[in-house]
């Protein structure tokens, strides 16, 4: 089964929405979106928090 270009782009844009840059906020003008503003980033952070909470001692966040 071959994956089409369109299907691959759907996956890419799920994690990196168009017009959103994965840069530090200090380099982006006020009011412009960055990756930390996306729902996907929020889900990744929450998943990491749950994973650390499952480790005895809470795990060290780096």
């Amino acid at each position: 089964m071959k994956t089409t270009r369109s299907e691959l782009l759907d996956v890419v844009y799920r994690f990196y929405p168009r017009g959103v840059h994965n840069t530090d906020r200090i380099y982006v003008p006020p009011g412009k979106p960055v990756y930390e503003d996306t729902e996907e980033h929020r889900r990744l952070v929450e998943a990491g928090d749950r994973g650390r909470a499952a480790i005895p001692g809470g795990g060290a966040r780096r």
Side-chain angles (χ1 to χ4, degrees), residues 7-21:
E7 291 169 336
L8 289 174
L9 287 174
D10 288 343
V11 173
V12 169
Y13 291 139
R14 176 172 178 235
F15 291 95
Y16 299 97
R18 295 175 199 206
V20 176
H21 305 286

Side-chain angles (χ1 to χ4, degrees), residues 14-61:
R14 176 172 178 235
F15 291 95
Y16 299 97
R18 295 175 199 206
V20 176
H21 305 286
N22 191 9
T23 59
D24 292 330
R25 181 162 294 283
I26 62 170
Y27 300 114
V28 180
K32 295 290 182 180
V34 294
Y35 184 61
E36 287 81 9
D37 296 334
T38 64
E39 182 179 339
E40 183 60 33
H41 182 265
R42 181 184 52 79
R43 284 195 300 257
L44 291 172
V45 170
E46 289 172 355
D49 291 343
R50 286 192 306 273
R52 282 185 294 280
I55 298 172
R61 186 169 188 174

